[in-house]
Amino acid sequence: MSEPVKPDDIDAVIHERVRLAIVSALAVAPELSFNELKAMLSLTDGNLSAHSRTLDDAGYIVVEKSFRGRRPHTSMRLRPKGRKGFH
């Protein structure tokens, strides 16, 4: 039998409300664009940018920036560490 989860076992990086919502959305979709996540979670550009940067720096998500035509496109997906941290 496994040990019960204690408050110290909770990773504050992933379990903050907005970051948990981002990881939850990415857990059910292989990849989402910045704009899809922003609309889905009703976040501002700055809020999503800051939280996604924190998750990226911690190794939970991959943020890929590219261009579609002349328009910038940012997409995000979970890394294995993010999937494990979510469960």
Side-chain angles (χ1 to χ4, degrees):
M1 209 181 319
S2 64
E3 295 280 326
V5 176
K6 296 177 244 132
D8 291 344
D9 297 334
I10 295 174
D11 183 347
V13 171
I14 199 170
H15 288 98
E16 187 281 330
R17 185 184 65 81
V18 173
R19 291 191 290 267
L20 185 58
I22 293 167
V23 171
S24 298
L26 293 172
V28 296
E31 183 174 289
L32 291 168
S33 73
F34 185 91
N35 288 331
E36 289 170 325
L37 273 169
K38 184 174 86 166
M40 185 184 301
L41 303 176
S42 300
L43 299 173
T44 64
D45 286 354
N47 202 311
L48 179 54
S49 181
H51 285 293
S52 62
R53 189 175 319 111
T54 299
L55 290 166
D56 186 25
D57 290 347
Y60 287 115
I61 67 171
V62 174
V63 178
E64 294 178 337
K65 297 180 182 227
S66 61
F67 283 88
R68 289 199 174 161
R70 293 179 179 244
R71 305 188 107 206
H73 178 79
T74 301
S75 61
M76 300 177 206
R77 60 185 161 76
L78 274 183
R79 291 180 183 264
K81 179 180 178 181
R83 195 163 300 283
K84 183 179 178 189
F86 179 65
H87 293 278

Coordinates of all heavy atoms in Angstrom, one line a residue:
M1 N 0.8 -1.2 0.0 CA 0.0 0.0 0.0 C 0.9 1.2 0.0 O 1.9 1.3 0.6 CB -0.9 0.0 1.2 CG -2.2 0.7 0.9 SD -3.4 0.9 2.3 CE -3.5 -0.6 3.1
S2 N 0.5 2.3 -0.7 CA 1.3 3.5 -0.8 C 1.0 4.4 0.4 O 0.0 4.3 1.1 CB 1.0 4.2 -2.1 OG -0.3 4.6 -2.1
E3 N 2.0 5.3 0.6 CA 1.9 6.2 1.7 C 0.8 7.3 1.4 O 0.7 7.7 0.2 CB 3.2 6.9 1.9 CG 4.3 6.0 2.4 CD 4.3 5.8 3.9 OE1 3.9 6.7 4.6 OE2 4.6 4.7 4.3
P4 N 0.1 7.8 2.4 CA -0.8 8.9 2.1 C -0.1 10.2 1.6 O 1.1 10.4 2.1 CB -1.5 9.1 3.4 CG -0.7 8.5 4.4 CD 0.1 7.4 3.7
V5 N -0.7 11.0 0.8 CA -0.1 12.2 0.4 C -0.1 13.2 1.5 O -1.1 13.4 2.2 CB -0.8 12.8 -0.9 CG1 -0.2 14.1 -1.3 CG2 -0.8 11.8 -2.0
K6 N 1.0 13.9 1.8 CA 1.1 14.9 2.8 C 1.2 16.3 2.1 O 1.7 16.4 1.0 CB 2.4 14.6 3.7 CG 2.3 13.3 4.4 CD 3.6 13.1 5.2 CE 4.2 11.9 4.6 NZ 5.4 11.6 4.2
P7 N 0.9 17.3 2.8 CA 1.0 18.7 2.3 C 2.4 19.0 1.7 O 2.5 19.6 0.7 CB 0.6 19.6 3.4 CG -0.2 18.8 4.3 CD 0.3 17.4 4.2
D8 N 3.4 18.5 2.3 CA 4.8 18.7 1.8 C 5.0 18.0 0.5 O 6.0 18.4 -0.2 CB 5.8 18.3 2.8 CG 5.8 19.1 4.1 OD1 5.2 20.2 4.0 OD2 6.4 18.7 5.1
D9 N 4.2 17.0 0.1 CA 4.4 16.3 -1.1 C 3.8 17.0 -2.3 O 4.1 16.6 -3.4 CB 3.7 14.9 -1.0 CG 4.3 14.0 0.1 OD1 5.5 14.2 0.4 OD2 3.6 13.1 0.6
I10 N 3.0 18.0 -2.1 CA 2.4 18.7 -3.2 C 3.3 19.7 -3.8 O 3.9 20.5 -3.1 CB 1.1 19.4 -2.7 CG1 0.1 18.4 -2.2 CG2 0.5 20.3 -3.7 CD1 -1.2 18.9 -1.6
D11 N 3.5 19.6 -5.1 CA 4.4 20.5 -5.8 C 3.7 21.8 -6.1 O 2.8 21.9 -6.9 CB 4.8 19.8 -7.1 CG 5.8 20.6 -7.9 OD1 6.0 21.8 -7.6 OD2 6.4 20.1 -8.8
A12 N 4.1 22.9 -5.4 CA 3.5 24.2 -5.6 C 3.6 24.7 -7.0 O 2.7 25.5 -7.4 CB 4.1 25.2 -4.6
V13 N 4.6 24.3 -7.7 CA 4.7 24.8 -9.1 C 3.6 24.4 -10.0 O 2.9 25.2 -10.7 CB 6.1 24.4 -9.8 CG1 6.1 24.7 -11.2 CG2 7.2 25.0 -9.1
I14 N 3.2 23.1 -9.9 CA 2.2 22.6 -10.8 C 0.8 22.7 -10.2 O -0.2 22.8 -10.9 CB 2.5 21.1 -11.1 CG1 1.7 20.7 -12.4 CG2 2.2 20.2 -10.0 CD1 2.1 19.4 -12.9
H15 N 0.7 22.8 -8.8 CA -0.6 22.8 -8.2 C -1.2 24.2 -7.9 O -2.2 24.3 -7.2 CB -0.6 21.9 -7.0 CG -0.6 20.4 -7.4 ND1 0.6 19.7 -7.4 CD2 -1.5 19.6 -7.8 CE1 0.3 18.5 -7.8 NE2 -0.9 18.4 -8.1
E16 N -0.5 25.2 -8.4 CA -1.1 26.6 -8.3 C -2.3 26.5 -9.2 O -2.3 25.9 -10.3 CB -0.1 27.6 -8.7 CG -0.5 29.0 -8.5 CD -1.4 29.5 -9.6 OE1 -1.3 29.1 -10.7 OE2 -2.3 30.4 -9.3
R17 N -3.4 27.2 -8.9 CA -4.7 27.1 -9.6 C -4.6 27.3 -11.1 O -5.0 26.4 -11.9 CB -5.7 28.1 -9.0 CG -7.1 28.0 -9.6 CD -8.0 29.1 -9.1 NE -7.7 30.4 -9.5 CZ -7.9 30.9 -10.7 NH1 -8.5 30.2 -11.6 NH2 -7.5 32.1 -11.0
V18 N -4.0 28.3 -11.6 CA -3.9 28.6 -13.0 C -3.0 27.6 -13.7 O -3.3 27.0 -14.8 CB -3.5 30.0 -13.3 CG1 -3.2 30.2 -14.8 CG2 -4.5 31.0 -12.9
R19 N -1.8 27.3 -13.1 CA -0.9 26.3 -13.7 C -1.5 24.9 -13.7 O -1.3 24.2 -14.7 CB 0.4 26.3 -12.9 CG 1.2 27.7 -13.2 CD 2.6 27.6 -12.7 NE 2.7 27.6 -11.3 CZ 2.9 28.7 -10.5 NH1 2.9 29.9 -11.1 NH2 3.0 28.6 -9.2
L20 N -2.3 24.6 -12.7 CA -3.0 23.3 -12.7 C -4.0 23.2 -13.8 O -4.1 22.2 -14.5 CB -3.6 23.0 -11.4 CG -4.3 21.6 -11.2 CD1 -3.3 20.5 -11.4 CD2 -4.9 21.5 -9.8
A21 N -4.7 24.3 -14.1 CA -5.6 24.4 -15.2 C -4.9 24.2 -16.5 O -5.4 23.5 -17.4 CB -6.4 25.7 -15.2
I22 N -3.8 24.8 -16.7 CA -3.0 24.7 -17.9 C -2.6 23.2 -18.1 O -2.8 22.7 -19.2 CB -1.8 25.6 -17.9 CG1 -2.2 27.1 -17.9 CG2 -0.8 25.3 -19.1 CD1 -1.1 28.1 -17.6
V23 N -2.0 22.6 -17.1 CA -1.6 21.3 -17.2 C -2.7 20.3 -17.4 O -2.7 19.4 -18.2 CB -0.8 20.9 -15.9 CG1 -0.5 19.4 -15.9 CG2 0.5 21.7 -15.9
S24 N -3.9 20.6 -16.8 CA -5.1 19.8 -17.0 C -5.5 19.8 -18.4 O -5.9 18.8 -19.0 CB -6.2 20.2 -16.1 OG -5.9 20.1 -14.7
A25 N -5.5 21.0 -19.0 CA -5.9 21.1 -20.4 C -5.0 20.4 -21.3 O -5.4 19.7 -22.3 CB -6.0 22.6 -20.8
L26 N -3.7 20.5 -21.0 CA -2.7 19.8 -21.9 C -2.7 18.3 -21.6 O -2.2 17.6 -22.5 CB -1.3 20.4 -21.6 CG -1.1 21.9 -22.1 CD1 0.2 22.4 -21.6 CD2 -1.3 22.0 -23.6
A27 N -3.2 17.9 -20.5 CA -3.2 16.4 -20.3 C -4.2 15.7 -21.2 O -4.1 14.5 -21.4 CB -3.6 16.2 -18.8
V28 N -5.2 16.4 -21.6 CA -6.3 15.8 -22.5 C -6.1 16.2 -24.0 O -6.9 15.6 -24.8 CB -7.7 16.1 -22.0 CG1 -7.9 15.5 -20.6 CG2 -8.0 17.6 -22.0
A29 N -5.2 17.0 -24.3 CA -4.9 17.4 -25.7 C -3.4 17.3 -25.9 O -2.6 17.7 -25.1 CB -5.4 18.8 -25.9
P30 N -3.0 16.7 -27.0 CA -1.6 16.5 -27.3 C -0.9 17.8 -27.4 O 0.3 17.9 -27.0 CB -1.5 15.7 -28.6 CG -2.9 15.7 -29.2 CD -3.9 16.1 -28.1
E31 N -1.5 18.8 -27.9 CA -0.9 20.2 -28.0 C -2.0 21.2 -28.1 O -3.1 20.9 -28.7 CB -0.1 20.2 -29.3 CG 0.7 21.5 -29.6 CD 1.6 21.3 -30.7 OE1 2.6 20.6 -30.6 OE2 1.3 21.9 -31.8
L32 N -1.8 22.4 -27.6 CA -2.7 23.5 -27.7 C -2.0 24.7 -28.0 O -0.8 24.9 -27.5 CB -3.5 23.7 -26.4 CG -4.5 22.6 -26.0 CD1 -5.0 22.8 -24.6 CD2 -5.7 22.6 -27.0
S33 N -2.6 25.6 -28.7 CA -2.0 26.9 -29.0 C -2.2 27.8 -27.9 O -3.0 27.7 -27.0 CB -2.5 27.5 -30.3 OG -3.8 28.0 -30.1
F34 N -1.3 28.9 -27.8 CA -1.4 29.9 -26.8 C -2.9 30.5 -26.8 O -3.5 30.6 -25.8 CB -0.4 31.0 -27.1 CG -0.3 32.1 -26.1 CD1 0.5 32.0 -25.0 CD2 -1.2 33.2 -26.2 CE1 0.6 33.0 -24.0 CE2 -1.1 34.2 -25.2 CZ -0.2 34.1 -24.1
N35 N -3.4 30.8 -28.0 CA -4.7 31.4 -28.1 C -5.8 30.4 -27.7 O -6.8 30.8 -27.1 CB -5.0 31.9 -29.5 CG -4.2 33.2 -29.8 OD1 -3.8 33.9 -28.9 ND2 -3.8 33.4 -31.0
E36 N -5.7 29.1 -28.0 CA -6.6 28.2 -27.5 C -6.7 28.1 -26.0 O -7.7 28.1 -25.4 CB -6.3 26.8 -28.1 CG -6.6 26.7 -29.6 CD -6.1 25.4 -30.2 OE1 -5.0 24.9 -29.7 OE2 -6.7 24.9 -31.1
L37 N -5.5 28.0 -25.4 CA -5.4 28.0 -23.9 C -6.0 29.2 -23.3 O -6.7 29.2 -22.3 CB -4.0 27.7 -23.5 CG -3.5 26.3 -23.3 CD1 -2.0 26.2 -23.1 CD2 -4.3 25.6 -22.2
K38 N -5.6 30.4 -23.9 CA -6.1 31.7 -23.4 C -7.6 31.7 -23.3 O -8.2 32.1 -22.3 CB -5.5 32.8 -24.2 CG -5.8 34.2 -23.7 CD -5.0 35.2 -24.5 CE -5.8 35.6 -25.7 NZ -5.4 36.8 -26.3
A39 N -8.2 31.3 -24.5 CA -9.7 31.4 -24.5 C -10.3 30.3 -23.6 O -11.3 30.6 -22.9 CB -10.1 31.1 -26.0
M40 N -9.8 29.1 -23.6 CA -10.3 28.0 -22.8 C -10.3 28.3 -21.3 O -11.3 28.0 -20.6 CB -9.5 26.8 -23.1 CG -10.0 25.5 -22.4 SD -8.8 24.1 -22.7 CE -8.8 24.0 -24.5
L41 N -9.3 29.0 -20.9 CA -9.1 29.3 -19.4 C -9.4 30.7 -19.0 O -9.3 31.1 -17.9 CB -7.7 28.9 -19.0 CG -7.2 27.5 -19.3 CD1 -5.8 27.3 -19.0 CD2 -8.1 26.5 -18.6
S42 N -9.9 31.5 -20.0 CA -10.2 32.9 -19.8 C -9.1 33.7 -19.1 O -9.3 34.3 -18.1 CB -11.5 33.0 -18.9 OG -12.6 32.4 -19.6
L43 N -7.9 33.6 -19.7 CA -6.7 34.2 -19.1 C -6.3 35.4 -20.0 O -6.6 35.4 -21.2 CB -5.5 33.3 -19.0 CG -5.8 32.0 -18.1 CD1 -4.6 31.1 -18.3 CD2 -5.9 32.5 -16.7
T44 N -5.6 36.3 -19.5 CA -5.0 37.4 -20.3 C -3.7 36.9 -20.9 O -3.1 35.9 -20.4 CB -4.7 38.6 -19.4 OG1 -3.6 38.3 -18.4 CG2 -5.9 39.2 -18.7
D45 N -3.2 37.6 -21.9 CA -1.9 37.2 -22.5 C -0.8 37.2 -21.4 O 0.0 36.2 -21.4 CB -1.5 38.3 -23.6 CG -2.3 38.2 -24.8 OD1 -3.1 37.2 -25.0 OD2 -2.1 39.0 -25.7
G46 N -0.7 38.2 -20.6 CA 0.4 38.3 -19.6 C 0.3 37.2 -18.6 O 1.3 36.6 -18.2
N47 N -1.0 36.9 -18.1 CA -1.1 35.8 -17.1 C -0.7 34.5 -17.7 O 0.0 33.7 -17.1 CB -2.6 35.8 -16.7 CG -2.8 35.2 -15.4 OD1 -2.3 34.1 -15.1 ND2 -3.6 35.8 -14.5
L48 N -1.2 34.1 -18.9 CA -0.9 32.8 -19.5 C 0.6 32.8 -19.8 O 1.3 31.8 -19.5 CB -1.7 32.6 -20.8 CG -1.3 31.3 -21.5 CD1 -1.5 30.1 -20.6 CD2 -2.2 31.2 -22.7
S49 N 1.2 33.9 -20.2 CA 2.6 33.9 -20.5 C 3.5 33.7 -19.3 O 4.4 32.9 -19.3 CB 3.0 35.3 -21.1 OG 4.4 35.3 -21.5
A50 N 3.1 34.3 -18.2 CA 3.9 34.2 -16.9 C 3.8 32.7 -16.4 O 4.8 32.1 -16.0 CB 3.4 35.2 -15.9
H51 N 2.6 32.2 -16.4 CA 2.4 30.8 -15.8 C 3.0 29.8 -16.7 O 3.6 28.8 -16.2 CB 0.9 30.6 -15.6 CG 0.4 31.3 -14.4 ND1 0.8 31.0 -13.1 CD2 -0.5 32.3 -14.3 CE1 0.1 31.8 -12.3 NE2 -0.7 32.6 -12.9
S52 N 2.9 30.0 -18.0 CA 3.5 29.0 -18.9 C 5.0 29.0 -18.9 O 5.7 28.0 -18.9 CB 3.0 29.2 -20.4 OG 3.4 30.4 -20.9
R53 N 5.6 30.2 -18.6 CA 7.0 30.3 -18.5 C 7.5 29.6 -17.2 O 8.5 28.9 -17.2 CB 7.5 31.8 -18.4 CG 9.0 32.0 -18.4 CD 9.4 33.5 -18.5 NE 8.6 34.3 -19.3 CZ 7.7 35.2 -18.9 NH1 7.6 35.5 -17.6 NH2 7.0 35.9 -19.8
T54 N 6.7 29.7 -16.1 CA 7.1 29.0 -14.9 C 7.0 27.5 -15.1 O 7.9 26.7 -14.7 CB 6.1 29.4 -13.8 OG1 6.2 30.8 -13.5 CG2 6.4 28.6 -12.5
L55 N 6.0 27.0 -15.8 CA 5.9 25.6 -16.1 C 7.0 25.1 -17.0 O 7.5 24.0 -16.9 CB 4.5 25.2 -16.7 CG 3.3 25.3 -15.7 CD1 2.0 25.3 -16.5 CD2 3.4 24.2 -14.7
D56 N 7.3 25.9 -18.0 CA 8.4 25.6 -18.9 C 9.8 25.5 -18.2 O 10.5 24.6 -18.4 CB 8.5 26.6 -20.1 CG 9.4 26.3 -21.2 OD1 9.8 25.1 -21.4 OD2 9.9 27.2 -21.9
D57 N 10.0 26.5 -17.4 CA 11.3 26.6 -16.6 C 11.4 25.4 -15.7 O 12.5 24.9 -15.5 CB 11.4 27.8 -15.8 CG 11.6 29.1 -16.7 OD1 11.9 28.9 -17.9 OD2 11.4 30.2 -16.1
A58 N 10.3 24.9 -15.2 CA 10.3 23.7 -14.3 C 10.4 22.4 -15.0 O 10.5 21.3 -14.4 CB 9.1 23.7 -13.4
G59 N 10.3 22.4 -16.4 CA 10.4 21.2 -17.2 C 9.1 20.5 -17.3 O 9.1 19.3 -17.7
Y60 N 7.9 21.1 -17.0 CA 6.6 20.4 -17.1 C 6.0 20.5 -18.5 O 5.3 19.6 -18.9 CB 5.7 21.0 -16.1 CG 6.0 20.6 -14.6 CD1 6.3 21.5 -13.7 CD2 5.9 19.3 -14.3 CE1 6.6 21.2 -12.4 CE2 6.2 18.9 -13.0 CZ 6.5 19.8 -12.0 OH 6.8 19.5 -10.8
I61 N 6.3 21.6 -19.2 CA 5.7 21.8 -20.5 C 6.8 22.2 -21.5 O 7.9 22.7 -21.1 CB 4.5 22.8 -20.6 CG1 5.0 24.2 -20.3 CG2 3.4 22.4 -19.6 CD1 3.9 25.3 -20.5
V62 N 6.5 22.0 -22.8 CA 7.3 22.5 -23.9 C 6.6 23.7 -24.5 O 5.4 23.5 -24.8 CB 7.6 21.5 -24.9 CG1 8.3 22.0 -26.1 CG2 8.3 20.3 -24.3
V63 N 7.2 24.8 -24.7 CA 6.6 26.0 -25.4 C 7.4 26.1 -26.7 O 8.6 26.3 -26.6 CB 6.7 27.2 -24.5 CG1 6.1 28.4 -25.3 CG2 6.0 27.1 -23.2
E64 N 6.7 26.0 -27.8 CA 7.3 26.1 -29.1 C 6.8 27.3 -29.8 O 5.6 27.5 -29.9 CB 7.1 24.9 -29.9 CG 7.8 23.6 -29.3 CD 7.5 22.4 -30.1 OE1 6.5 22.3 -30.8 OE2 8.3 21.5 -30.0
K65 N 7.7 28.2 -30.2 CA 7.4 29.4 -31.0 C 7.8 29.2 -32.4 O 8.9 28.8 -32.7 CB 8.0 30.6 -30.3 CG 7.5 30.8 -28.9 CD 8.2 32.0 -28.3 CE 7.7 32.1 -26.8 NZ 7.2 33.4 -26.5
S66 N 6.9 29.6 -33.3 CA 7.1 29.5 -34.7 C 6.3 30.6 -35.4 O 5.7 31.4 -34.8 CB 6.8 28.1 -35.2 OG 5.4 27.9 -35.1
F67 N 6.3 30.5 -36.7 CA 5.5 31.4 -37.5 C 4.6 30.6 -38.5 O 5.0 29.6 -39.0 CB 6.4 32.4 -38.4 CG 7.0 33.5 -37.6 CD1 8.2 33.3 -37.0 CD2 6.3 34.7 -37.5 CE1 8.8 34.4 -36.2 CE2 6.9 35.7 -36.7 CZ 8.1 35.6 -36.1
R68 N 3.4 31.1 -38.6 CA 2.5 30.5 -39.6 C 2.3 31.7 -40.6 O 1.5 32.6 -40.3 CB 1.2 30.1 -38.9 CG 1.4 28.8 -38.1 CD 0.1 28.1 -37.9 NE 0.4 26.9 -37.2 CZ -0.5 26.2 -36.5 NH1 -1.7 26.7 -36.4 NH2 -0.2 25.1 -35.9
G69 N 2.9 31.6 -41.7 CA 2.9 32.7 -42.6 C 3.8 33.8 -41.9 O 4.9 33.6 -41.5
R70 N 3.2 34.9 -41.8 CA 3.9 36.0 -41.1 C 3.5 36.2 -39.7 O 3.9 37.2 -39.0 CB 3.6 37.3 -41.9 CG 4.3 37.3 -43.3 CD 4.0 38.6 -44.0 NE 4.6 38.7 -45.3 CZ 5.5 39.5 -45.6 NH1 5.9 40.4 -44.8 NH2 6.0 39.4 -46.8
R71 N 2.6 35.4 -39.2 CA 2.0 35.5 -37.9 C 2.8 34.6 -36.9 O 3.0 33.4 -37.2 CB 0.6 35.2 -37.8 CG -0.2 36.0 -38.9 CD -1.7 35.8 -38.7 NE -2.1 37.1 -38.1 CZ -3.2 37.2 -37.4 NH1 -3.9 36.2 -37.1 NH2 -3.6 38.4 -36.9
P72 N 3.1 35.1 -35.7 CA 3.8 34.3 -34.7 C 2.7 33.2 -34.2 O 1.5 33.5 -34.1 CB 4.2 35.2 -33.6 CG 3.5 36.5 -33.9 CD 3.0 36.5 -35.3
H73 N 3.2 32.0 -33.9 CA 2.4 31.0 -33.4 C 3.1 30.3 -32.2 O 4.3 29.9 -32.3 CB 2.1 29.9 -34.5 CG 1.3 28.8 -34.0 ND1 -0.1 28.9 -33.8 CD2 1.6 27.6 -33.6 CE1 -0.6 27.7 -33.4 NE2 0.4 26.9 -33.2
T74 N 2.5 30.2 -31.1 CA 3.0 29.6 -29.9 C 2.2 28.4 -29.5 O 0.9 28.5 -29.4 CB 3.1 30.5 -28.7 OG1 3.9 31.7 -29.1 CG2 3.7 29.9 -27.5
S75 N 2.8 27.2 -29.4 CA 2.0 26.0 -29.0 C 2.7 25.4 -27.7 O 3.9 25.7 -27.5 CB 2.0 25.0 -30.1 OG 3.3 24.6 -30.4
M76 N 1.9 24.7 -27.0 CA 2.4 24.1 -25.8 C 1.9 22.6 -25.7 O 0.9 22.3 -26.2 CB 1.8 24.8 -24.6 CG 2.2 26.3 -24.5 SD 1.5 27.1 -23.1 CE 1.4 28.8 -23.8
R77 N 2.8 21.8 -25.1 CA 2.4 20.4 -24.8 C 3.1 20.0 -23.5 O 4.1 20.6 -23.1 CB 2.8 19.5 -26.0 CG 4.2 19.5 -26.4 CD 4.4 18.7 -27.6 NE 5.7 19.0 -28.3 CZ 6.9 18.6 -27.8 NH1 7.0 17.8 -26.7 NH2 8.0 18.9 -28.4
L78 N 2.6 18.9 -22.9 CA 3.2 18.4 -21.7 C 4.4 17.6 -22.0 O 4.5 16.9 -23.0 CB 2.2 17.4 -21.0 CG 1.2 18.0 -20.1 CD1 0.3 16.9 -19.5 CD2 1.8 18.9 -19.0
R79 N 5.4 17.7 -21.1 CA 6.6 16.8 -21.1 C 6.2 15.6 -20.2 O 5.2 15.7 -19.4 CB 7.8 17.5 -20.5 CG 8.3 18.7 -21.3 CD 9.5 19.2 -20.5 NE 10.1 20.4 -21.2 CZ 11.1 20.3 -22.0 NH1 11.7 19.2 -22.3 NH2 11.6 21.4 -22.6
P80 N 7.0 14.5 -20.3 CA 6.7 13.4 -19.4 C 6.7 13.8 -17.9 O 5.9 13.3 -17.2 CB 7.8 12.4 -19.7 CG 8.1 12.7 -21.2 CD 8.0 14.2 -21.3
K81 N 7.6 14.7 -17.5 CA 7.6 15.2 -16.1 C 6.3 15.9 -15.8 O 5.8 15.7 -14.7 CB 8.8 16.1 -16.0 CG 8.9 16.7 -14.6 CD 10.1 17.7 -14.4 CE 10.1 18.2 -13.0 NZ 11.3 19.2 -12.9
G82 N 5.7 16.6 -16.7 CA 4.4 17.3 -16.4 C 3.3 16.3 -16.3 O 2.4 16.4 -15.4
R83 N 3.3 15.3 -17.1 CA 2.3 14.2 -17.0 C 2.4 13.5 -15.7 O 1.4 13.2 -15.0 CB 2.4 13.3 -18.2 CG 1.2 12.4 -18.4 CD 1.2 11.8 -19.8 NE 1.1 12.7 -20.9 CZ 0.0 13.4 -21.3 NH1 -1.1 13.3 -20.6 NH2 0.1 14.2 -22.3
K84 N 3.6 13.2 -15.3 CA 3.8 12.5 -14.0 C 3.4 13.4 -12.9 O 2.8 12.9 -11.9 CB 5.3 12.1 -13.9 CG 5.6 11.3 -12.7 CD 7.0 10.9 -12.6 CE 7.3 10.1 -11.3 NZ 8.7 9.9 -11.0
G85 N 3.8 14.6 -12.9 CA 3.4 15.6 -11.8 C 1.9 15.8 -11.7 O 1.4 16.1 -10.6
F86 N 1.2 15.7 -12.8 CA -0.2 15.9 -12.9 C -0.9 14.7 -12.2 O -1.9 14.9 -11.5 CB -0.7 16.0 -14.3 CG -2.2 16.2 -14.4 CD1 -2.8 17.4 -13.9 CD2 -2.9 15.3 -15.1 CE1 -4.1 17.5 -14.0 CE2 -4.3 15.4 -15.2 CZ -4.9 16.6 -14.7
H87 N -0.4 13.5 -12.3 CA -1.0 12.4 -11.8 C -0.6 12.3 -10.3 O -0.9 12.0 -9.4 CB -0.7 11.1 -12.5 CG -1.2 11.1 -13.9 ND1 -2.5 10.8 -14.2 CD2 -0.7 11.4 -15.1 CE1 -2.7 10.9 -15.5 NE2 -1.6 11.3 -16.0

